[in-house]
Amino acid sequence: MAPSKVLAGARVVLPTGIVDGGRVIVDGTRIVGSAAEDTPTLDLSGHWLVPGFVDIHNHGGGGASFTSGTVEEVLQGVRTHRLHGTTTLVASTVTGEMDGLAQRAGLLSELAEQGDIAGIHFEGPFISPCRKGAHSEALLRHPDPAEVRKLIDAARGRARMVTLATELPGGIDSVRLLAEHGVIAAIGHTDATYEQTVEAIDAGATVATHLFNAMPVLGHRTPGPIAALLEDERVTVELINDGTHLHPAALQLAFHHAGAGRVAFITDAMDAAGFGDGRYMLGPLEVEVADGVARLVEGGSIAGSTLTLDRAFKRAVTVDRLPVEDAVAALSANPARLLGAYDRVGSLEPGKDADLVVLDSAFDLKGVMRGGEWVVDPQLG
């Protein structure tokens, strides 16, 4: 077990606000309320101390795919994101054959049982061909509740979220099925109208998969899903804050209407995150990553991102000028609550896992701790 330590002097972001010159005490794997007088102290003066980041939508990184990689490759992707502050990660799949997705769910569920990932997110195949993005149209299917149930069962209690185009046949019944089984029903890759989206929310859908992307635009006569998802207090909206997926004004619009308590920053990362430009496969489709932007070789659709959450954080507080507390909520507390894990992660409070990130005054990552162990040791001289 890791030795006790006191992290002192930083600007600590707590649920109650920012504490200048604050202290976080770690004993073993947990944050605790007090420490013995002789406990080693690390001086973090001039730095920020924030909770470890929670990513609920992530397809891979470090050259590895969560959809097709071996166990070791999946772990490589998880490690890559940990180096960038993501201490809790849900592994996302992409559209594939049902049997292949069920098999993948079995592999990922084992990693979830070991605590390496926080569960599984199925993005596709139950999505609209009109808004397929980087998904193979030939493999798309309607959200038949029996097939949705097959994926949930294959995940052995580790399914956390399923993205659906809820306007498709079986969509509303599938939302109800997911809600009954404690799995998040997320509306995304959808061509739904405003009214159809309201119906899906009333049936139990609670997340907007990468809001604005892969859905109809906001119109003044046809407001579509965006207006319905932003206005409903029951819905958390995912945002990809990489400067490519969203115009800064769209991000501000989401925060203004949903409020900081209903936004979850995600990466939607693919293999190239933390790895580099080049050619990759996203499910059965080939992707070209150039200057950090991933696009399908055929058709040019944006194909996930190369984002890491430390970059999303820095952009939020420097480019978007969000309050640090709002960025922390979007990167840690809100997604942790969605996963039902806020009793363990998502804030720096006694009794919770010692998952935290050290940032310098420019909001560049300097240290990452997970479960009381330094993943990135803050060598502060």
Side-chain angles (χ1 to χ4, degrees):
M1 182 176 287
S4 299
K5 53 187 79 74
V6 176
L7 311 178
R11 301 192 76 187
V12 181
V13 183
L14 300 174
T16 52
I18 296 171
V19 177
D20 288 317
R23 284 162 36 108
V24 172
I25 303 166
V26 175
D27 185 16
T29 63
R30 300 289 175 128
I31 298 170
V32 296
S34 61
E37 286 186 16
D38 60 349
T39 302
T41 298
L42 177 63
D43 183 6
L44 293 176
S45 299
H47 291 73
W48 290 87
L49 202 54
V50 301
F53 306 142
V54 180
D55 194 353
I56 59 171
H57 187 156
N58 187 318
H59 298 280
S65 168
F66 298 152
T67 296
S68 58
T70 64
V71 168
E72 186 47 48
E73 287 169 340
V74 172
L75 292 174
Q76 163 80 9
V78 171
R79 283 192 293 267
T80 296
H81 284 283
R82 282 185 191 164
L83 293 174
H84 293 275
T86 298
T87 51
T88 301
L89 181 148
V90 174
S92 303
T93 63
V94 295
T95 294
E97 298 282 1
M98 285 295 294
D99 288 345
L101 286 172
Q103 185 177 22
R104 174 62 24 175
L107 180 149
L108 292 174
S109 67
E110 291 182 16
L111 296 178
E113 286 158 12
Q114 294 168 196
D116 295 303
I117 61 173
I120 307 164
H121 164 219
F122 296 101
E123 188 180 23
F126 311 115
I127 60 176
S128 171
C130 304
R131 305 287 174 176
K132 64 182 184 297
H135 292 254
S136 172
E137 184 167 356
L139 298 175
L140 300 183
R141 55 211 301 129
H142 290 159
D144 178 345
E147 294 203 315
V148 175
R149 178 65 187 266
K150 177 181 178 179
L151 290 188
I152 297 173
D153 289 346
R156 302 201 303 259
R158 301 295 174 167
R160 292 289 172 264
M161 184 162 65
V162 178
T163 294
L164 312 94
T166 52
E167 76 278 8
L168 295 176
I172 297 300
D173 286 340
S174 291
V175 168
R176 294 194 182 101
L177 172 76
L178 291 167
E180 287 167 6
H181 285 81
V183 179
I184 297 165
I187 299 173
H189 288 275
T190 176
D191 205 38
T193 64
Y194 173 87
E195 291 76 15
Q196 288 170 327
T197 307
V198 168
E199 182 185 9
I201 296 168
D202 285 342
T206 57
V207 166
T209 292
H210 44 53
L211 186 75
F212 299 108
N213 293 108
M215 59 183 62
V217 297
L218 181 66
H220 66 291
R221 291 195 182 95
T222 53
I226 294 171
L229 293 163
L230 282 176
E231 73 184 7
D232 199 299
E233 294 294 323
R234 295 169 290 182
V235 176
T236 298
V237 298
E238 295 181 348
L239 298 178
I240 309 171
N241 193 26
D242 62 352
T244 299
H245 281 78
L246 295 176
H247 189 283
L251 180 140
Q252 294 292 346
L253 180 75
F255 268 89
H256 178 75
H257 286 279
R262 291 205 291 119
V263 173
F265 282 143
I266 60 164
T267 60
D268 193 17
M270 45 77 73
D271 313 18
F275 200 67
D277 290 353
R279 289 277 179 116
Y280 298 86
M281 297 301 295
L282 186 62
L285 303 179
E286 191 172 15
V287 175
E288 175 79 31
V289 178
D291 297 325
V293 178
R295 293 186 179 276
L296 290 183
V297 170
E298 187 174 332
S301 291
I302 295 176
S305 85
T306 62
L307 187 63
T308 52
L309 284 183
D310 57 334
R311 287 170 41 214
F313 189 109
K314 180 169 181 173
R315 181 178 176 85
V317 296
T318 59
V319 176
D320 302 309
R321 302 293 182 185
L322 293 178
V324 172
E325 305 97 302
D326 290 358
V328 167
L331 282 155
S332 302
N334 298 342
R337 286 194 185 95
L338 271 177
L339 295 178
Y342 191 65
D343 60 327
R344 296 184 296 103
V345 299
S347 68
L348 300 177
E349 295 176 278
K352 294 199 175 185
D353 293 352
D355 293 355
L356 52 87
V357 175
V358 181
L359 304 165
D360 66 15
S361 59
F363 300 102
D364 290 317
L365 184 143
K366 293 298 177 183
V368 180
M369 178 183 287
R370 184 174 189 269
E373 299 277 1
W374 288 114
V375 179
V376 177
D377 195 342
Q379 301 295 328
L380 304 176

